[in-house]
Every structure is written in C-alpha cells, then in structure tokens.
Coordinates of all heavy atoms in Angstrom, one line a residue:
M1132 N 281.5 78.7 145.7 CA 281.3 78.5 147.1 C 281.0 77.0 147.4 O 280.4 76.3 146.6 CB 280.1 79.3 147.6 CG 279.7 79.1 149.0 SD 278.3 80.1 149.5 CE 278.0 79.4 151.1
F1133 N 281.6 76.5 148.4 CA 281.4 75.1 148.8 C 281.0 75.0 150.3 O 281.4 75.8 151.1 CB 282.6 74.2 148.4 CG 283.6 74.1 149.4 CD1 283.8 72.9 150.1 CD2 284.5 75.1 149.7 CE1 284.8 72.8 151.1 CE2 285.5 75.0 150.7 CZ 285.6 73.8 151.4
L1134 N 280.3 74.0 150.5 CA 279.8 73.7 151.9 C 280.4 72.4 152.4 O 280.3 71.4 151.6 CB 278.3 73.7 152.0 CG 277.6 75.0 151.9 CD1 276.1 74.8 151.8 CD2 277.9 76.0 153.0
L1135 N 280.9 72.4 153.5 CA 281.4 71.1 154.1 C 280.6 70.7 155.3 O 280.6 71.4 156.3 CB 282.9 71.3 154.5 CG 283.7 70.0 155.0 CD1 283.7 69.0 153.8 CD2 285.1 70.4 155.4
F1136 N 279.7 69.8 155.1 CA 278.9 69.4 156.2 C 278.9 67.9 156.4 O 279.4 67.1 155.6 CB 277.4 69.8 156.0 CG 276.8 69.3 154.7 CD1 276.1 68.1 154.7 CD2 276.9 70.1 153.5 CE1 275.6 67.7 153.5 CE2 276.3 69.7 152.4 CZ 275.6 68.5 152.3
G1137 N 278.5 67.5 157.6 CA 278.6 66.1 157.9 C 277.9 65.8 159.2 O 277.0 66.6 159.6
T1138 N 278.2 64.7 159.9 CA 277.6 64.4 161.1 C 278.7 64.0 162.1 O 279.7 63.6 161.8 CB 276.6 63.2 161.0 OG1 277.3 62.1 160.6 CG2 275.4 63.6 160.1
R1139 N 278.3 64.2 163.4 CA 279.3 63.7 164.4 C 278.5 63.1 165.5 O 277.5 63.7 166.0 CB 280.0 64.9 165.0 CG 281.1 64.5 166.0 CD 281.8 65.7 166.6 NE 282.5 66.5 165.6 CZ 283.1 67.6 165.9 NH1 283.0 68.2 167.1 NH2 283.7 68.2 165.0
A1140 N 278.9 61.9 165.9 CA 278.2 61.2 167.0 C 278.9 61.3 168.3 O 280.1 61.3 168.3 CB 278.0 59.7 166.6
S1141 N 278.2 61.5 169.4 CA 278.8 61.6 170.7 C 278.0 60.8 171.7 O 276.8 60.7 171.5 CB 279.0 63.0 171.1 OG 277.8 63.6 171.3
Q1142 N 278.6 60.3 172.7 CA 277.8 59.7 173.7 C 278.3 60.0 175.1 O 279.5 60.3 175.3 CB 277.7 58.2 173.5 CG 279.0 57.4 173.6 CD 278.8 55.9 173.5 OE1 278.0 55.5 172.7 NE2 279.4 55.1 174.4
S1143 N 277.4 60.1 176.0 CA 277.8 60.4 177.4 C 276.9 59.6 178.4 O 275.7 59.3 178.1 CB 277.6 61.9 177.6 OG 276.3 62.3 177.3
V1144 N 277.5 59.3 179.5 CA 276.8 58.5 180.5 C 276.0 59.6 181.3 O 276.6 60.5 181.9 CB 277.8 57.8 181.5 CG1 277.0 57.1 182.6 CG2 278.6 56.8 180.7
I1145 N 274.7 59.5 181.3 CA 273.9 60.5 182.0 C 273.4 60.0 183.4 O 273.0 60.8 184.2 CB 272.6 60.9 181.2 CG1 271.7 59.7 180.8 CG2 273.1 61.7 179.9 CD1 270.4 60.2 180.3
N1146 N 273.5 58.7 183.6 CA 273.0 58.2 184.9 C 273.6 56.8 185.1 O 273.9 56.1 184.2 CB 271.5 58.1 184.9 CG 270.9 58.0 186.3 OD1 271.6 58.1 187.3 ND2 269.6 57.7 186.3
V1147 N 273.7 56.4 186.4 CA 274.1 55.0 186.7 C 273.1 54.5 187.8 O 272.9 55.2 188.8 CB 275.6 55.0 187.3 CG1 275.9 53.5 187.7 CG2 276.6 55.5 186.3
V1148 N 272.5 53.4 187.5 CA 271.6 52.8 188.4 C 272.0 51.4 188.6 O 272.6 50.8 187.8 CB 270.1 52.9 187.9 CG1 269.6 54.3 187.9 CG2 269.9 52.3 186.5
S1149 N 271.5 50.8 189.8 CA 271.9 49.4 190.1 C 270.6 48.6 190.0 O 269.6 48.9 190.7 CB 272.5 49.3 191.5 OG 273.8 49.8 191.5
F1150 N 270.6 47.6 189.2 CA 269.5 46.6 189.2 C 270.0 45.3 188.6 O 271.1 45.3 188.0 CB 268.2 47.2 188.6 CG 268.4 47.6 187.1 CD1 268.2 46.6 186.1 CD2 268.6 48.9 186.8 CE1 268.3 47.0 184.8 CE2 268.7 49.3 185.5 CZ 268.5 48.3 184.4
V1151 N 269.2 44.3 188.7 CA 269.5 43.0 188.2 C 269.5 43.0 186.6 O 268.4 43.3 186.1 CB 268.6 41.9 188.7 CG1 269.0 40.5 188.1 CG2 268.8 41.8 190.3
C1152 N 270.6 42.7 186.0 CA 270.7 42.8 184.6 C 269.9 41.7 183.9 O 269.9 40.5 184.4 CB 272.2 42.6 184.2 SG 272.5 42.4 182.5
G1153 N 269.3 42.0 182.9 CA 268.5 41.0 182.1 C 269.3 40.0 181.4 O 268.8 38.9 181.0
Y1154 N 270.5 40.3 181.2 CA 271.4 39.4 180.4 C 272.1 38.4 181.3 O 272.1 37.2 181.1 CB 272.5 40.2 179.6 CG 271.9 40.9 178.5 CD1 271.7 42.3 178.6 CD2 271.6 40.3 177.3 CE1 271.2 43.0 177.5 CE2 271.0 41.0 176.2 CZ 270.9 42.4 176.3 OH 270.3 43.1 175.3
C1155 N 272.8 39.0 182.4 CA 273.7 38.1 183.2 C 273.0 37.8 184.5 O 273.5 36.9 185.3 CB 275.1 38.7 183.4 SG 275.0 40.3 184.2
G1156 N 271.9 38.4 184.9 CA 271.2 38.1 186.1 C 272.0 38.5 187.3 O 271.7 38.1 188.4
T1157 N 272.9 39.4 187.2 CA 273.7 39.9 188.3 C 273.2 41.3 188.7 O 272.9 42.1 187.8 CB 275.2 40.0 187.9 OG1 275.6 38.7 187.4 CG2 276.1 40.4 189.1
L1158 N 273.2 41.6 190.0 CA 272.9 42.9 190.5 C 274.2 43.8 190.2 O 275.2 43.6 190.9 CB 272.6 42.9 192.0 CG 272.3 44.3 192.6 CD1 271.0 44.9 191.9 CD2 272.1 44.2 194.1
A1159 N 274.1 44.6 189.2 CA 275.3 45.4 188.8 C 274.9 46.8 188.4 O 273.7 47.1 188.2 CB 276.0 44.7 187.6
E1160 N 275.9 47.7 188.4 CA 275.6 49.0 187.9 C 275.3 49.0 186.4 O 276.0 48.4 185.6 CB 276.8 49.9 188.2 CG 277.0 50.2 189.7 CD 278.0 51.2 190.0 OE1 278.9 51.4 189.2 OE2 277.8 51.9 191.1
Q1161 N 274.2 49.7 186.1 CA 273.8 49.9 184.7 C 273.9 51.3 184.3 O 273.4 52.2 185.0 CB 272.3 49.5 184.6 CG 271.9 48.1 185.2 CD 272.5 46.9 184.5 OE1 272.5 46.9 183.2 NE2 273.0 45.9 185.2
R1162 N 274.7 51.6 183.3 CA 274.9 52.9 182.8 C 273.8 53.3 181.8 O 273.6 52.6 180.9 CB 276.3 53.1 182.2 CG 277.4 53.1 183.2 CD 278.7 53.2 182.6 NE 278.9 52.0 181.7 CZ 280.0 51.7 181.1 NH1 281.1 52.4 181.3 NH2 280.1 50.6 180.3
V1163 N 273.3 54.5 182.0 CA 272.3 55.0 181.1 C 273.1 56.0 180.2 O 273.7 56.9 180.6 CB 271.1 55.7 181.7 CG1 270.2 56.3 180.7 CG2 270.4 54.8 182.7
I1164 N 273.2 55.6 178.9 CA 274.0 56.4 178.0 C 273.1 57.1 177.0 O 272.2 56.6 176.4 CB 274.9 55.4 177.2 CG1 275.9 54.8 178.2 CG2 275.7 56.2 176.1 CD1 276.6 53.6 177.6
K1165 N 273.4 58.4 176.8 CA 272.7 59.2 175.8 C 273.6 59.3 174.6 O 274.8 59.7 174.7 CB 272.4 60.6 176.4 CG 271.7 61.5 175.4 CD 271.5 62.9 176.0 CE 270.7 63.8 175.0 NZ 270.6 65.1 175.6
R1166 N 273.1 58.9 173.5 CA 273.9 59.0 172.2 C 273.2 59.9 171.3 O 272.1 59.8 171.0 CB 274.0 57.6 171.6 CG 274.8 57.5 170.4 CD 274.9 56.0 169.9 NE 275.7 55.2 170.8 CZ 275.9 53.9 170.6 NH1 275.2 53.3 169.7 NH2 276.7 53.2 171.4
S1167 N 274.0 60.9 170.9 CA 273.4 61.9 170.0 C 274.2 62.1 168.7 O 275.4 62.1 168.8 CB 273.1 63.2 170.7 OG 274.3 63.7 171.2
T1168 N 273.6 62.3 167.7 CA 274.2 62.6 166.4 C 273.9 64.0 166.0 O 272.8 64.4 166.0 CB 273.7 61.6 165.3 OG1 273.8 60.3 165.8 CG2 274.6 61.7 164.0
K1169 N 275.0 64.8 165.8 CA 274.8 66.2 165.5 C 275.1 66.5 164.0 O 276.1 65.9 163.5 CB 275.6 67.0 166.4 CG 275.1 67.1 167.8 CD 275.9 68.1 168.6 CE 275.2 68.2 170.0 NZ 276.1 68.0 171.1
F1170 N 274.4 67.4 163.4 CA 274.7 67.9 162.1 C 275.8 68.9 162.2 O 275.8 69.8 163.1 CB 273.4 68.5 161.6 CG 273.6 69.1 160.2 CD1 273.6 68.3 159.1 CD2 273.9 70.5 160.0 CE1 273.8 68.9 157.8 CE2 274.1 71.0 158.8 CZ 274.0 70.2 157.7
T1171 N 276.8 68.7 161.4 CA 278.0 69.7 161.5 C 278.1 70.4 160.2 O 277.9 69.9 159.1 CB 279.3 68.9 161.8 OG1 279.6 68.0 160.8 CG2 279.3 68.2 163.1
L1172 N 278.6 71.6 160.3 CA 278.9 72.5 159.1 C 280.3 73.0 159.3 O 280.6 73.6 160.3 CB 277.9 73.6 159.0 CG 278.0 74.5 157.8 CD1 277.6 73.6 156.5 CD2 277.0 75.6 157.9
F1173 N 281.2 72.6 158.4 CA 282.6 72.9 158.6 C 283.2 72.4 159.9 O 283.9 73.2 160.7 CB 282.9 74.5 158.4 CG 282.6 75.0 157.0 CD1 281.5 75.7 156.8 CD2 283.5 74.7 156.0 CE1 281.2 76.1 155.5 CE2 283.2 75.1 154.7 CZ 282.0 75.8 154.5
F1174 N 282.8 71.2 160.3 CA 283.2 70.5 161.5 C 282.6 71.2 162.8 O 283.1 70.8 163.9 CB 284.7 70.4 161.6 CG 285.3 69.7 160.4 CD1 286.1 70.5 159.5 CD2 285.1 68.4 160.1 CE1 286.6 69.9 158.3 CE2 285.6 67.8 159.0 CZ 286.4 68.5 158.1
V1175 N 281.8 72.1 162.7 CA 281.2 72.7 163.8 C 279.8 72.1 164.1 O 278.9 72.2 163.2 CB 281.0 74.3 163.7 CG1 280.3 74.9 164.9 CG2 282.4 74.9 163.4
P1176 N 279.6 71.5 165.2 CA 278.3 70.9 165.5 C 277.2 71.9 165.6 O 277.4 72.9 166.4 CB 278.5 70.1 166.8 CG 279.9 70.2 167.2 CD 280.6 71.3 166.3
L1177 N 276.2 71.8 164.9 CA 275.1 72.8 164.9 C 273.9 72.4 165.8 O 273.6 73.1 166.7 CB 274.6 73.1 163.5 CG 275.6 73.9 162.6 CD1 275.0 74.1 161.3 CD2 276.1 75.2 163.3
F1178 N 273.3 71.3 165.4 CA 272.2 70.8 166.2 C 272.0 69.3 166.1 O 272.5 68.7 165.1 CB 270.9 71.5 165.6 CG 270.6 71.3 164.2 CD1 270.0 70.1 163.7 CD2 271.1 72.2 163.2 CE1 269.8 69.9 162.4 CE2 270.9 72.0 161.9 CZ 270.2 70.8 161.4
P1179 N 271.5 68.7 167.2 CA 271.3 67.3 167.2 C 270.1 66.9 166.3 O 269.1 67.6 166.4 CB 271.1 66.9 168.6 CG 270.7 68.2 169.3 CD 271.1 69.3 168.4
F1180 N 270.3 65.9 165.5 CA 269.1 65.5 164.7 C 268.7 64.1 165.1 O 267.6 63.6 164.6 CB 269.3 65.7 163.2 CG 270.3 64.7 162.6 CD1 269.9 63.5 162.2 CD2 271.6 65.1 162.4 CE1 270.9 62.6 161.6 CE2 272.6 64.3 161.9 CZ 272.2 63.0 161.4
S1181 N 269.4 63.4 165.9 CA 269.1 62.1 166.3 C 269.6 61.8 167.7 O 270.8 62.0 168.0 CB 269.6 61.1 165.3 OG 269.8 59.8 166.0
T1182 N 268.8 61.4 168.6 CA 269.2 61.1 170.0 C 268.6 59.8 170.4 O 267.4 59.5 170.1 CB 268.7 62.2 171.0 OG1 269.1 63.5 170.5 CG2 269.2 62.0 172.4
S1183 N 269.4 58.9 170.9 CA 268.9 57.7 171.4 C 269.5 57.4 172.8 O 270.6 58.0 173.2 CB 269.3 56.6 170.4 OG 270.6 56.4 170.3
Y1184 N 268.9 56.5 173.5 CA 269.3 56.2 174.9 C 269.6 54.7 174.9 O 268.9 53.9 174.4 CB 268.2 56.6 175.9 CG 268.0 58.0 175.9 CD1 267.0 58.6 175.1 CD2 268.7 58.9 176.8 CE1 266.8 60.0 175.2 CE2 268.5 60.2 176.8 CZ 267.6 60.8 176.0 OH 267.3 62.1 176.0
L1185 N 270.6 54.3 175.7 CA 271.0 53.0 175.8 C 271.2 52.7 177.3 O 271.6 53.5 178.1 CB 272.3 52.7 175.1 CG 272.4 52.7 173.6 CD1 273.9 52.6 173.2 CD2 271.6 51.6 173.0
N1186 N 271.0 51.4 177.7 CA 271.4 50.9 179.0 C 272.5 49.9 178.8 O 272.4 49.0 178.0 CB 270.1 50.2 179.6 CG 270.5 49.6 180.9 OD1 270.5 50.3 181.9 ND2 270.7 48.4 180.9
S1187 N 273.6 50.1 179.5 CA 274.7 49.2 179.4 C 275.1 48.6 180.7 O 275.4 49.4 181.7 CB 275.9 50.0 178.8 OG 277.1 49.3 178.8
C1188 N 275.2 47.3 180.8 CA 275.6 46.6 182.0 C 277.1 46.7 182.3 O 277.9 46.4 181.3 CB 275.1 45.2 181.9 SG 275.6 44.2 183.4
T1189 N 277.5 47.1 183.5 CA 278.9 47.2 183.7 C 279.5 45.8 184.0 O 280.7 45.7 184.0 CB 279.2 48.1 184.9 OG1 278.5 47.6 186.1 CG2 278.8 49.6 184.6
H1190 N 278.7 44.8 184.2 CA 279.2 43.5 184.5 C 279.4 42.7 183.3 O 280.5 42.2 183.1 CB 278.2 42.8 185.4 CG 278.7 41.4 185.9 ND1 279.6 41.3 186.9 CD2 278.3 40.2 185.5 CE1 279.9 40.0 187.0 NE2 279.1 39.3 186.2
C1191 N 278.4 42.7 182.4 CA 278.6 41.8 181.2 C 278.7 42.7 179.9 O 279.0 42.1 178.8 CB 277.5 40.8 181.1 SG 275.9 41.6 180.7
G1192 N 278.4 43.9 180.0 CA 278.5 44.8 178.8 C 277.3 44.7 177.9 O 277.3 45.3 176.8
G1193 N 276.3 44.0 178.3 CA 275.0 43.9 177.5 C 274.3 45.2 177.4 O 274.2 45.9 178.4
T1194 N 273.8 45.5 176.2 CA 273.2 46.8 176.1 C 271.7 46.6 175.6 O 271.4 45.7 174.9 CB 273.9 47.7 175.0 OG1 274.0 47.0 173.8 CG2 275.3 48.1 175.5
T1195 N 270.9 47.5 176.1 CA 269.5 47.5 175.8 C 269.1 48.9 175.3 O 269.6 49.9 175.9 CB 268.6 47.2 177.0 OG1 269.2 46.1 177.7 CG2 267.2 46.8 176.6
K1196 N 268.3 49.0 174.3 CA 267.8 50.3 173.9 C 266.8 50.8 174.9 O 265.9 50.1 175.3 CB 267.2 50.3 172.5 CG 268.2 50.5 171.4 CD 267.6 51.0 170.1 CE 268.6 51.7 169.3 NZ 268.0 52.5 168.2
L1197 N 266.8 52.1 175.2 CA 265.9 52.7 176.1 C 265.1 53.8 175.3 O 265.7 54.4 174.4 CB 266.5 53.4 177.3 CG 267.3 52.5 178.3 CD1 267.9 53.4 179.3 CD2 266.4 51.5 178.9
T1198 N 263.9 54.0 175.7 CA 263.2 55.2 175.1 C 263.5 56.4 175.9 O 264.1 56.3 177.0 CB 261.6 55.0 175.2 OG1 261.3 54.9 176.6 CG2 261.2 53.7 174.5
A1199 N 263.2 57.6 175.4 CA 263.5 58.8 176.1 C 262.8 58.8 177.5 O 263.3 59.3 178.5 CB 263.1 60.0 175.3
A1200 N 261.6 58.3 177.5 CA 260.8 58.2 178.7 C 261.4 57.3 179.7 O 261.5 57.6 180.9 CB 259.4 57.7 178.4
Q1201 N 262.0 56.2 179.3 CA 262.7 55.3 180.2 C 263.9 55.9 180.8 O 264.3 55.8 182.0 CB 263.1 54.0 179.5 CG 261.9 53.1 179.3 CD 262.3 51.9 178.5 OE1 262.9 52.0 177.5 NE2 261.9 50.7 178.9
A1202 N 264.7 56.7 180.0 CA 265.9 57.4 180.4 C 265.5 58.4 181.5 O 266.2 58.6 182.5 CB 266.6 58.0 179.3
R1203 N 264.4 59.1 181.2 CA 263.9 60.2 182.1 C 263.5 59.5 183.4 O 263.8 60.0 184.5 CB 262.7 60.9 181.5 CG 262.8 62.4 181.7 CD 261.8 63.2 181.0 NE 260.6 62.5 180.5 CZ 260.4 62.3 179.2 NH1 261.2 62.8 178.3 NH2 259.3 61.7 178.8
H1204 N 262.8 58.4 183.3 CA 262.4 57.6 184.5 C 263.6 57.2 185.4 O 263.5 57.3 186.6 CB 261.6 56.4 184.1 CG 261.1 55.6 185.2 ND1 260.1 55.9 186.0 CD2 261.6 54.4 185.8 CE1 259.9 55.0 187.0 NE2 260.9 54.1 186.9
S1205 N 264.7 56.8 184.7 CA 265.9 56.4 185.5 C 266.5 57.5 186.2 O 267.0 57.4 187.3 CB 266.9 55.7 184.5 OG 267.8 56.7 184.0
L1206 N 266.4 58.7 185.7 CA 266.9 59.9 186.4 C 266.1 60.2 187.6 O 266.6 60.6 188.6 CB 266.9 61.1 185.4 CG 268.0 61.1 184.3 CD1 267.8 62.2 183.3 CD2 269.4 61.2 184.9
E1207 N 264.7 60.1 187.4 CA 263.8 60.3 188.5 C 264.1 59.3 189.6 O 264.1 59.6 190.8 CB 262.4 60.3 188.1 CG 261.9 61.6 187.5 CD 260.7 61.4 186.6 OE1 259.9 60.5 186.9 OE2 260.6 62.3 185.7
W1208 N 264.3 58.0 189.2 CA 264.5 56.9 190.1 C 265.8 57.2 190.9 O 265.8 57.0 192.1 CB 264.6 55.6 189.3 CG 264.7 54.4 190.2 CD1 263.6 53.7 190.6 CD2 265.8 53.8 190.8 NE1 264.0 52.6 191.4 CE2 265.4 52.7 191.6 CE3 267.2 54.1 190.8 CZ2 266.3 51.9 192.3 CZ3 268.1 53.3 191.5 CH2 267.6 52.2 192.2
A1209 N 266.8 57.6 190.2 CA 268.1 57.9 190.9 C 267.9 59.0 191.9 O 268.5 59.0 193.0 CB 269.2 58.3 189.9
R1210 N 267.1 60.0 191.6 CA 266.9 61.2 192.5 C 266.2 60.7 193.8 O 266.6 61.1 194.8 CB 266.1 62.3 191.8 CG 266.4 63.7 192.3 CD 265.6 64.8 191.6 NE 265.8 64.7 190.2 CZ 264.8 64.7 189.3 NH1 263.6 64.7 189.7 NH2 265.0 64.6 188.0
T1211 N 265.2 59.9 193.6 CA 264.4 59.5 194.8 C 265.2 58.4 195.6 O 264.9 58.2 196.8 CB 263.1 59.0 194.4 OG1 263.2 58.0 193.4 CG2 262.2 60.1 193.9
H1212 N 266.1 57.7 195.0 CA 266.8 56.6 195.7 C 268.3 57.0 196.1 O 269.0 56.1 196.6 CB 266.8 55.3 194.8 CG 265.5 54.7 194.7 ND1 264.5 55.2 193.9 CD2 265.0 53.6 195.3 CE1 263.4 54.4 194.0 NE2 263.7 53.4 194.8
S1213 N 268.7 58.2 195.8 CA 270.1 58.5 196.2 C 270.2 58.7 197.7 O 269.3 59.2 198.3 CB 270.5 59.8 195.4 OG 269.7 60.9 195.8
V1214 N 271.4 58.3 198.2 CA 271.6 58.5 199.6 C 272.4 59.7 199.8 O 273.6 59.8 199.6 CB 272.4 57.3 200.2 CG1 271.6 56.5 201.2 CG2 272.8 56.3 199.1
N1215 N 271.7 60.8 200.2 CA 272.4 62.0 200.5 C 272.2 62.4 202.0 O 271.2 62.6 202.5 CB 271.8 63.2 199.6 CG 272.3 63.1 198.2 OD1 273.4 62.6 197.9 ND2 271.4 63.4 197.3
Ligands
ZN829 ZN1 274.8 42.1 182.7

C-alpha cells in the first residue's frame, strides 16, 4: 500500500479596502488576501494546516503581512464603511 500526500497552496482576495499605502503613499485600493496551505491526500485537499493574511497594494504591488485579527478588522471596517 502506498500513500500519496502533499500540500497545495491557494489564495483568495477576501476584501478590498482603500487607504493610503505605506509604500507608495498613494490612496489606493488594498487587497486583503487569504493564503492557505492545505494538506492533500491523493491530490484531494483535506484540511488547511497553515493560513496567512496579506495586504497587497493595487497601485505599487507592495505587500504587508497581516495577522488574522487585522484581516478580521478589515472585514468589519468594510462592513461599516460600505455605501449601500
Ligand atoms: Zn502602494
């Protein structure tokens, strides 16, 4: 019997907020990206074992690491500042 296991990384944009970028100093849209690495067995993703959050500037492409709390905060911020 043999087991084929590995990992698979995926990322998705979970939020977009606008603020002045720390790199380029421009008021630009900042994408909040969730990056997760999943454990796979026979190429089937089973469970995530590592999740990280990034902030990426759409103007200059500069990225900053975010904590899970900061990512959550950005979602709350977007909810209270959205124009509906
Ligand atoms: Zn920037």
Side-chain angles (χ1 to χ4, degrees):
M1132 177 178 172
F1133 88 108
L1134 289 172
L1135 189 59
F1136 57 89
T1138 60
R1139 183 184 298 173
S1141 65
Q1142 64 176 42
S1143 54
V1144 177
I1145 59 167
N1146 196 12
V1147 178
V1148 290
S1149 286
F1150 60 86
V1151 177
C1152 171
Y1154 291 102
C1155 60
T1157 306
L1158 178 65
E1160 290 190 332
Q1161 311 288 322
R1162 286 178 300 190
V1163 180
I1164 297 165
K1165 181 184 180 181
R1166 184 178 287 175
S1167 56
T1168 309
K1169 286 186 174 128
F1170 179 82
T1171 60
L1172 188 64
F1173 295 105
F1174 305 109
V1175 178
L1177 289 182
F1178 56 88
F1180 68 87
S1181 151
T1182 303
S1183 61
Y1184 296 91
L1185 293 172
N1186 176 82
S1187 170
C1188 176
T1189 56
H1190 185 75
C1191 70
T1194 56
T1195 317
K1196 271 205 155 195
L1197 296 177
T1198 62
Q1201 285 173 314
R1203 224 174 14 247
H1204 177 79
S1205 90
L1206 287 172
E1207 278 161 28
W1208 188 92
R1210 205 178 310 128
T1211 52
H1212 289 75
S1213 62
V1214 243
N1215 284 326

